[in-house]
């Protein structure tokens, strides 16, 4: 009988820079059985390889695992060889050697194809399937990964291994999330939670809860992450497992820290900040693991720096002393880099006593350790960081050499999460050296790496210090700055203007991916460009850059429309730039104008005329430079693809000094980007409406507090339902999730109206509409509207008639765009602020009247007529009442 060695783990593997996917590596229970006739050499080599893997010394681990594999092969011990190849694949994956990883895991599974065997045999097979799934997800093959993990789950169920089942199903939830099956992923995790709770108290149960808590955080549900981790902590304390309590506290601190960034109220943010701080302090006190202790200290340091609590910063010597005592490993190299990045941030915000030389020495030690470990990934990361230190000290020659060496290593192992940073760094260095062409090439390569990382960018968990605005967004905007002329009078080629728009398009997709914490924009229908949807529309595309506001406007090419030359472009691009300090007094003045216009002028009905100067300013930036060309090209529809805080401003309220933009000849629409689902307009006779609304609130439901009753909702829905013959409605206590899902599935409406409170907020979890029984967040709403039975009948129009964008925050504006995209509807009509209930009813009734009675009317024209209906009744009516209704998506 052969000696089979199995080791139990429920772990996460993390990478620098991009938040790691919480893939759970599951191995069977720890068993060590020795046959007297079997030599022990292979066993010892395997054990040594696994230990080195667990302490992140991957290159050394590979050496011992290769020896063990050969030994087992020589001795005819195929099962242990398969197990060894499994670990070898994991180690190769850590070093970015994916071809080697695929080769050895395929070899392992080839041996494990038999349908019969011992429990040990099936345990190894299940583990190998988990490893293969991890590799597939890393390579962007989420659908394959899901199928592989489903196989692993079946094998674990076959042998009664509950820990294996839990781990592989956690992995399935990750794959489902990546594929955009949000509701299935949530259901899987909820079912797992119930399964784990049904188990008897044990350390295995604690580990499962810890893994679930980390997964909830990674998919963006911080509330559930916190709840599950607290439960895990209580159980670990009950079992008197001090070290696991420390590990759980580290995860809890990360969840609290993520909450400190995502909470909307300052008091809530401060509360999460303090909780994270206290939890990290507790970890550092109770942990006997040097690695966990150092991680807690570094996370606490970064948290204090982010909150600019410089007086509370711990002594650098204390952290360095703990760090230097760690044994050589990748984890130690990353810890040095983490510390250096924190110190750089301190020096850039408040110059403490730490010298650049100290920071440089910390990272140089990391480079040397990585080279000793022969860890290419860690070396690339350390070299890039060292290059950044030299860049910040204006030692550009040395910075360039180090960065070029780092990026060569990173790209050699397909480590795009490191390579994009170093390419971006090189772009800045080339630009500082005056080499614009080289800089453009480096920016382009950095963006190519970011495209490869699209799924990874969605997972911004608190485990990794990662800020979209600081570490992703600037790459796009800096590149566009280079593509466009550096003077207001400069000419840009059509190719450069198109590339600038394309780059910003990629940024908008990445923004929404980050907002939803997953790649969410893949749709079954093939999107088409805006000028294909409507060749007579003009697209106004403002871009906020570090030194200016650039506005790119597309004009229909009349020659192309008349088909005189089929090779002609379908649009001509024009550029107008307003430089800060010249056309606009300063960047601060620009942002203040936008913020005040949204929060204190347009959204305040008491401010009767204070808004006029601001709306004229914005008109002068976006529309006036192109007035004559819009007129000459007979443009009917203006489509705005807005940027930053401009997304919070209703374009209808812009003013030319004589009249509002809505009073001109143009129909107006907002698009999240340059491509939309193609129009498939329903015949008026075939309109099918589902309407849901809350005219009253449930006093016993805590979700309903802080909201006011919408007294006109019942009449609004009743009137609209009479206008559209084929309609179904749910009001008040009937408006619950299960009823909504059933109506959407069975009725297949072309229009969905929700007349209920809603908030477009800074995160997908806090962006919601209110039902009778709960808040339905953006992801849940998308799942409801794209139910399986309704997949072939895309909703043409989603109307949200009483929602608002929270506080005018730039990121909160993504909530509206996100709802529009996530719902799968071709068009979404919503409000930018909470509008008067009576006026909302009046406008909505008029909108649906126009939509149902006029045979050829477009959605954009219908909403324009409804807004003008209010203005005609009272020409002095404040824009607060009529302007915040915006049509997002297809305007036809």
């Amino acid at each position: 009988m052969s000696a089979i060695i199995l080791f139990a783990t429920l772990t996460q593997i993390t990478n620098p820079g991009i938040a790691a996917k919480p893939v759970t590596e599951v191995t069977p229970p720890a068993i060590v059985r020795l046959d007297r006739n079997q030599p022990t050499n292979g066993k010892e080599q395997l054990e040594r390889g696994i230990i080195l893997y667990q302490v992140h010394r991957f290159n050394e681990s590979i050496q011992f695992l290769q020896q063990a594999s050969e030994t087992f092969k020589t001795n005819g011990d195929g099962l242990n060889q398969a197990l060894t190849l499994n670990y070898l694949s994991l180690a190769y994956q850590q070093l970015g050697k994916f071809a080697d990883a695929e080769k050895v895991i395929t070899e392992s599974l080839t041996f494990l194809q038999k349908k019969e065997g011992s429990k040990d045999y099936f345990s190894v097979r299940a583990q190998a399937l988990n490893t293969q799934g991890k590799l597939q997800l890393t390579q962007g093959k989420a659908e394959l990964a899901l199928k592989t993990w489903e196989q692993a789950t079946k094998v674990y169920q076959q042998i009664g291994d509950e820990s294996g089942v839990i781990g592989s199903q956690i992995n399935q939830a990750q794959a489902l999330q990546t594929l955009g099956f949000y509701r299935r992923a949530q259901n899987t995790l909820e079912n797992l939670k119930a399964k784990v709770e049904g188990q008897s108290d044990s350390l295995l149960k604690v580990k499962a809860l810890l893994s679930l808590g980390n997964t909830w955080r990674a998919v963006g549900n911080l509330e559930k992450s916190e709840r599950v981790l607290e439960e895990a902590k209580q159980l670990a304390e009950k079992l008197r497992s001090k070290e696991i309590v420390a590990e759980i506290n580290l995860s809890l601190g990360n969840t609290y820290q993520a909450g400190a960034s995502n909470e909307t109220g300052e008091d809530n943010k401060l509360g999460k900040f303090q909780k994270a701080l206290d939890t990290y302090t507790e970890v550092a006190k109770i942990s006997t693991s040097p690695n966990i202790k150092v991680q807690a200290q570094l996370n606490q340091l970064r948290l204090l720096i982010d909150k600019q609590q410089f007086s509370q910063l711990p002594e650098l010597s204390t952290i360095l002393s703990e760090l230097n005592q760690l044994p050589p490993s990748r984890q130690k190299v990353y810890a040095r880099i983490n510390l250096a990045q924190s110190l750089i941030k301190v020096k850039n915000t408040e110059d403490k006593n730490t010298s650049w030389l100290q920071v440089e020495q910390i990272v140089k030690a990391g480079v040397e350790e990585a080279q000793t470990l022969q860890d290419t990934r860690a070396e690339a990361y350390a070299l890039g960081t060292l290059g950044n230190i030299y860049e910040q000290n204006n030692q550009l020659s040395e910075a360039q050499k180090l960065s070029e060496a780092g990026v060569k290593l990173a790209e050699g192992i397909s480590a795009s999460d490191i390579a994009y940073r170093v390419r971006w760094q090189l772009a800045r260095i080339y630009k500082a050296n005056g080499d614009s062409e080289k800089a453009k090439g480096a920016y382009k390569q950095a963006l190519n790496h970011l495209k490869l990382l699209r799924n990874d960018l969605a997972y911004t968990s608190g485990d990794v210090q990662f800020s979209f605005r600081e570490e992703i967004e600037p790459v796009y905007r800096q590149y566009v700055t280079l593509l466009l002329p550096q003077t207001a009078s400069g000419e840009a080629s059509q190719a450069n203007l198109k590339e600038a728009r394309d780059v910003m398009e990629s940024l908008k997709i990445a923004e929404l991916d980050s907002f939803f914490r997953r790649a969410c924009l893949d749709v079954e229908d093939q999107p088409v460009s805006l000028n294909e949807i409507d060749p007579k529309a003009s697209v106004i595309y403002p871009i906020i850059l570090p030194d200016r506001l650039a506005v790119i406007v597309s004009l229909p090419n009349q020659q192309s429309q008349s088909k005189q030359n089929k090779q002609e472009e379908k649009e001509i691009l024009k550029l107008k730039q307003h430089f800060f300090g010249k056309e606009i007094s300063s960047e601060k003045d620009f942002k203040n104008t936008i913020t005040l216009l949204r929060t204190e002028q347009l959204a305040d009905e008491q401010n009767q005329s204070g808004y006029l100067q601001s709306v004229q300013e914005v008109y002068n930036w976006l529309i006036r430079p192109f007035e004559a060309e819009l007129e000459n090209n007979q443009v009917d529809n203006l489509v705005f693809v807005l940027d930053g805080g401009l997304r919070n401003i209703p374009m209808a309220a812009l003013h030319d000094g004589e009249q509002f933009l809505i009073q001109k000849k143009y129909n107006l629409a907002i698009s999240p980007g340059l491509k939309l689902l193609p129009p498939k307009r329903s015949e008026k006779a075939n309109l099918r409406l589902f309407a849901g609304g809350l005219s009253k609130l449930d006093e016993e439901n805590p979700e309903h507090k802080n909201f006011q009753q919408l007294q006109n909702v019942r009449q609004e829905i009743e009137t609209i339902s009479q206008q559209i013959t084929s309609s179904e409605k749910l009001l008040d206590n009937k408006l619950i999730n299960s009823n909504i899902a059933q109506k959407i599935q069975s009725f297949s409406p072309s229009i969905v109206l929700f007349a209920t409170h809603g908030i477009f907020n800074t995160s997908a979890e806090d962006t919601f509409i209110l039902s009778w029984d709960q808040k339905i967040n953006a992801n849940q709403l998308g799942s409801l509207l794209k139910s399986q039975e309704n997949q072939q009948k895309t909703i043409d129009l989603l109307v949200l008639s009483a929602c608002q964008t929270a506080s005018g925050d730039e990121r909160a504006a993504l909530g509206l765009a996100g709802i529009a995209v996530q719902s799968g509807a071709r068009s979404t009509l919503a409000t930018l602020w909470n509008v008067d209930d009576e006026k909302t009813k009046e406008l909505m009734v008029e909108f649906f009247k126009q939509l149902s009675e006029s045979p050829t009317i477009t959605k954009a024209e219908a909403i324009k007529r409804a807004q003008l209906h209010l203005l005609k009744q009272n020409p002095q009516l404040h824009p607060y009442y009529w302007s915040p209704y915006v049509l997002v998506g297809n305007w036809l």
Side-chain angles (χ1 to χ4, degrees):
M1 185 183 293
S2 64
I4 180 73
I5 308 111
L6 305 176
F7 299 83
T9 61
L10 268 167
T11 65
Q12 290 180 301
I13 302 302
T14 58
N15 298 322
I18 302 301
K21 300 172 183 176
V23 174
T24 303
E25 296 167 20
V26 182
T27 60
I31 306 170
V32 178
R33 288 206 317 267
L34 295 178
D35 189 311
R36 292 181 182 179
N37 297 323
Q38 175 73 28
T40 61
N41 190 32
K43 165 190 164 302
E44 291 169 357
Q45 290 164 343
L46 175 56
E47 286 177 334
R48 179 68 61 86
I50 291 172
I51 290 168
L52 288 166
Y53 175 87
Q54 290 171 337
V55 297
H56 294 195
R57 293 166 65 172
F58 303 114
N59 202 67
E60 293 171 86
S61 171
I62 285 171
Q63 293 173 21
F64 280 97
L65 292 171
Q66 286 173 335
Q67 292 173 18
S69 176
E70 286 301 316
T71 301
F72 289 132
K73 184 178 180 180
T74 300
N75 294 328
D77 187 350
L79 188 55
N80 268 327
Q81 185 190 1
L83 178 65
T84 305
L85 291 171
N86 168 72
Y87 278 105
L88 195 52
S89 178
L90 289 171
Y92 279 137
Q93 288 180 50
Q94 287 297 321
L95 293 178
K97 298 181 178 181
F98 299 122
D100 290 331
E102 189 165 358
K103 180 181 175 183
V104 294
I105 198 61
T106 301
E107 190 179 343
S108 175
L109 283 165
T110 298
F111 174 81
L112 297 166
Q113 283 179 344
K114 293 185 297 182
K115 295 182 179 180
E116 296 180 357
S118 64
K119 183 176 180 179
D120 290 341
Y121 170 88
F122 284 113
S123 293
V124 176
R125 183 181 179 193
Q127 182 178 348
L129 287 168
N130 264 317
T131 298
Q132 185 183 50
K134 179 180 183 296
L135 177 61
Q136 289 164 339
L137 193 66
T138 301
Q139 294 174 316
K141 303 172 184 176
E143 196 166 347
L144 273 178
L146 177 61
K147 291 178 181 177
T148 301
W149 282 326
E150 286 172 346
Q151 290 180 50
T153 301
K154 289 178 183 177
V155 177
Y156 280 125
Q157 288 171 336
Q158 183 179 342
I159 59 176
D161 184 343
E162 279 302 308
S163 66
V165 170
I166 291 167
S168 56
Q169 287 186 332
I170 287 174
N171 290 340
Q172 284 183 47
Q174 177 63 39
L176 288 167
Q177 184 82 6
T178 304
L179 288 165
F181 300 137
Y182 181 83
R183 188 163 57 174
R184 282 178 61 191
Q186 298 277 5
N187 289 342
T188 298
L189 291 174
E190 292 286 8
N191 292 337
L192 279 172
K193 177 66 166 53
K195 182 182 292 186
V196 170
E197 285 179 336
Q199 293 182 343
S200 57
D201 292 348
S202 65
L203 290 181
L204 185 61
K205 180 177 180 178
V206 172
K207 283 282 189 178
L209 288 170
L210 172 58
S211 189
L212 271 174
N214 288 335
T215 304
W216 276 122
R217 180 177 63 250
V219 301
N221 197 317
L222 301 180
E223 184 180 342
K224 286 184 178 175
S225 172
E226 185 178 331
R227 198 183 309 146
V228 172
L229 290 171
E230 287 284 6
E231 186 179 337
K233 180 180 176 181
Q234 290 174 11
L235 180 54
E237 287 173 339
K238 179 181 174 183
L239 297 172
R240 299 183 180 180
S241 180
K242 191 175 181 180
E243 195 50 53
I244 294 182
V245 169
E247 189 179 348
I248 294 167
N249 272 332
L250 182 62
S251 285
L252 262 174
N254 294 339
T255 297
Y256 293 143
Q257 186 174 153
S261 301
N262 291 343
E263 289 285 349
T264 51
E266 283 305 313
D267 289 343
N268 292 336
K269 286 184 178 181
L270 189 60
K272 295 295 183 186
F273 161 74
Q274 194 57 52
K275 273 188 168 185
L277 202 61
D278 293 344
T279 306
Y280 289 140
T281 302
E282 186 180 351
V283 174
K285 283 181 181 177
I286 69 172
S287 178
T288 58
S289 164
N291 272 326
I292 288 180
K293 193 170 185 177
V294 168
Q295 282 183 60
Q297 289 173 327
L298 292 174
N299 287 0
Q300 184 184 57
L301 177 66
R302 183 65 71 96
L303 180 64
L304 289 166
I305 293 168
D306 286 344
K307 297 299 179 183
Q308 298 191 3
Q309 304 288 324
F310 300 113
S311 61
Q312 296 184 48
L313 296 183
E315 289 293 327
L316 175 60
S317 58
T318 303
I319 298 177
L320 271 175
S321 175
E322 297 277 0
L323 200 161
N324 288 331
Q325 291 177 36
L326 296 177
S329 68
R330 176 186 287 183
Q331 202 167 31
K332 185 177 182 180
V333 177
Y334 286 0
R336 289 192 184 281
I337 295 169
N338 188 342
L339 176 58
Q341 289 172 341
S342 291
L343 295 175
I344 290 170
K345 199 162 188 179
V346 172
K347 290 195 69 64
N348 287 338
T349 51
E350 179 175 293
D351 194 12
K352 304 293 285 185
N353 295 326
T354 306
S355 69
W356 279 113
L357 181 60
Q358 280 179 299
V359 181
E360 180 186 333
Q361 288 172 340
I362 290 168
V363 181
K364 276 186 173 178
V367 172
E368 291 168 3
E369 286 167 351
Q371 289 171 341
T372 300
L373 292 165
Q374 296 182 311
D375 189 330
T376 306
R377 183 182 182 85
E379 185 183 354
Y381 192 29
L383 283 171
T385 306
L386 191 57
N388 180 245
I389 293 168
Y390 284 115
E391 179 199 3
Q392 296 203 44
N393 279 283
N394 207 32
Q395 296 172 263
L396 298 183
S397 177
E398 191 62 29
Q400 182 175 326
K401 289 177 186 175
L402 288 165
S403 301
E404 287 174 343
V407 83
K408 184 178 180 180
L409 292 176
E411 290 179 344
I413 58 169
S414 302
S416 288
D417 55 341
I418 298 171
Y420 101 81
R421 291 169 178 269
V422 190
R423 281 290 179 195
W424 174 28
Q425 191 166 291
L426 276 168
R428 299 193 303 268
I429 294 168
Y430 294 146
K431 183 182 177 184
N433 283 329
D435 194 336
S436 293
E437 288 308 309
K438 245 186 170 180
K440 286 178 186 176
Y443 274 120
K444 199 161 189 174
Q445 288 170 304
L447 292 176
N448 287 337
H449 284 298
L450 284 173
K451 284 181 183 177
L452 293 173
L453 289 169
R454 182 181 169 194
N455 285 336
D456 300 83
L457 292 176
Y459 299 95
T460 55
S461 81
D463 292 336
V464 178
Q465 306 309 324
F466 170 82
S467 166
F468 184 88
R469 288 188 177 181
E470 291 177 7
E471 301 178 28
I472 301 297
E473 188 173 342
V475 189
Y476 294 86
R477 296 193 188 275
Q478 289 171 17
Y479 181 36
V480 171
T481 301
L482 272 182
L483 288 170
L484 300 181
Q486 302 298 301
T487 61
S489 59
E491 291 295 325
S493 68
Q494 290 290 296
N496 270 16
L497 290 176
K498 285 184 178 177
E499 184 167 4
R501 283 198 321 180
D502 289 344
V503 170
M504 291 304 296
E505 280 296 288
S506 297
L507 172 59
K508 292 179 190 302
I509 292 171
E511 276 182 317
L512 285 173
D513 287 351
S514 172
F515 181 81
F516 282 102
R517 293 178 180 261
R518 71 176 185 278
C520 63
L521 303 185
D522 294 317
V523 291
E524 290 186 10
D525 284 355
Q526 188 65 37
V528 295
S529 64
L530 300 187
N531 56 32
E532 288 181 72
I533 290 174
D534 182 358
K536 293 193 70 174
S538 181
V539 180
I540 298 178
Y541 205 110
I543 304 171
I544 301 169
L545 297 174
D547 61 342
R548 68 195 110 147
L549 170 66
V551 185
I552 299 175
V553 168
S554 72
L555 298 167
N557 186 331
Q558 298 299 327
Q559 259 197 336
S560 176
Q561 287 179 34
S562 61
K563 299 181 181 179
Q564 290 179 12
N565 184 346
K566 292 184 180 179
Q567 301 304 315
E568 288 268 7
E569 294 290 342
K570 294 181 180 178
E571 59 178 352
I572 300 295
L573 301 183
K574 298 287 183 177
L575 171 69
K576 173 63 179 175
Q577 301 187 93
H578 308 276
F579 281 78
F580 301 139
K582 296 178 183 177
E583 289 82 7
I584 301 175
S585 61
S586 67
E587 181 182 9
K588 184 178 179 181
D589 179 61
F590 168 75
K591 290 187 175 178
N592 283 345
T593 298
I594 297 302
T595 302
L596 288 172
L597 178 57
R598 163 61 174 82
T599 57
E600 298 181 22
Q601 295 172 352
L602 289 178
D604 181 4
E605 71 272 30
Q606 303 302 318
N607 191 338
Q608 285 302 312
S609 59
Y611 61 85
L612 268 174
Q613 181 180 347
S614 296
V615 292
Q616 287 177 31
E617 274 190 279
V618 180
Y619 183 92
N620 291 340
W621 296 337
L622 303 185
I623 307 295
R624 194 173 298 281
F626 310 100
E627 281 180 326
E629 289 167 306
L630 292 172
E631 180 66 32
N632 292 339
N633 283 273
Q634 302 174 5
V635 170
D636 294 327
N637 298 312
L638 292 183
V639 183
F640 294 86
V641 183
L642 298 174
D643 191 22
L646 289 168
R647 286 179 286 215
N648 287 315
I649 307 300
M651 295 294 104
L654 302 191
H655 201 281
D656 68 356
E658 296 181 1
Q659 60 183 344
F660 292 108
L661 184 56
I662 196 68
Q663 294 172 310
K664 290 176 173 287
K665 69 170 188 173
Y666 308 111
N667 300 317
L668 309 179
I670 305 294
S671 175
L674 288 172
K675 290 190 174 183
L676 290 174
L677 292 178
K680 291 183 181 177
R681 293 166 60 188
S682 303
E683 296 293 330
K684 303 303 177 187
N686 295 327
L687 291 179
R688 297 170 65 80
L689 169 74
F690 164 70
L694 290 183
S695 63
K696 57 185 179 181
L697 299 173
D698 182 1
E699 294 180 0
E700 296 182 2
N701 188 344
E703 303 285 17
H704 284 204
K705 69 177 182 178
N706 302 324
F707 291 103
Q708 296 180 340
Q709 297 214 14
L710 299 170
Q711 297 178 350
N712 289 283
V713 160
R714 181 174 287 274
Q715 186 180 352
E716 174 187 334
I717 288 181
E718 294 289 355
T719 305
I720 291 170
S721 297
Q722 290 170 11
Q723 292 171 338
I724 297 178
T725 307
S726 183
S727 61
E728 295 277 355
K729 57 183 182 287
L730 292 171
L731 284 165
D732 299 330
N733 61 356
K734 303 293 185 184
L735 189 69
I736 61 176
N737 265 23
S738 57
N739 288 347
I740 296 169
Q742 189 275 326
K743 287 290 184 186
I744 297 291
Q745 290 174 15
S746 62
F747 185 60
S748 295
S750 58
I751 302 174
V752 173
L753 162 66
F754 286 109
T756 176
H757 286 291
I759 300 288
F760 307 127
N761 220 317
T762 55
S763 69
E765 294 74 42
D766 295 324
T767 292
F768 63 88
I769 64 169
L770 198 65
S771 69
W772 183 260
D773 55 340
Q774 61 180 283
K775 292 174 180 175
I776 305 173
N777 70 34
N779 288 311
Q780 292 167 328
L781 180 61
S783 294
L784 283 174
L785 298 181
K786 292 184 287 189
S787 56
Q788 188 174 0
E789 290 83 349
N790 196 47
Q791 280 182 352
Q792 301 306 315
K793 297 186 179 179
T794 301
I795 292 168
D796 188 49
L797 176 64
L798 169 66
V799 181
L800 305 170
S801 74
C803 298
Q804 61 177 316
T805 301
S807 70
D809 181 88
E810 284 187 26
R811 185 169 170 84
L814 287 172
L816 174 52
I819 282 272
V821 171
Q822 190 69 1
S823 70
R826 299 183 189 280
S827 315
T828 299
L829 179 63
T831 51
L832 290 175
W833 54 76
N834 202 356
V835 191
D836 176 79
D837 186 28
E838 173 65 30
K839 294 298 181 189
T840 297
K841 180 200 75 175
E842 193 174 342
L843 184 139
M844 284 295 160
V845 168
E846 181 65 24
F847 169 70
F848 278 98
K849 177 184 176 184
Q850 293 289 338
L851 207 59
S852 60
E853 291 183 356
S854 305
T856 59
I857 198 169
T858 65
K859 285 169 276 192
E861 191 173 354
I863 189 60
K864 175 181 179 175
R865 289 186 187 180
Q867 289 173 303
L868 290 175
H869 173 75
L870 294 185
L871 266 176
K872 285 174 184 175
Q873 289 180 337
N874 178 5
Q876 305 304 314
L877 189 64
H878 193 284
Y880 164 82
Y881 294 100
W882 56 264
S883 72
Y885 303 90
V886 293
L887 183 68
V888 182
N890 205 301
W891 57 94
L892 296 180

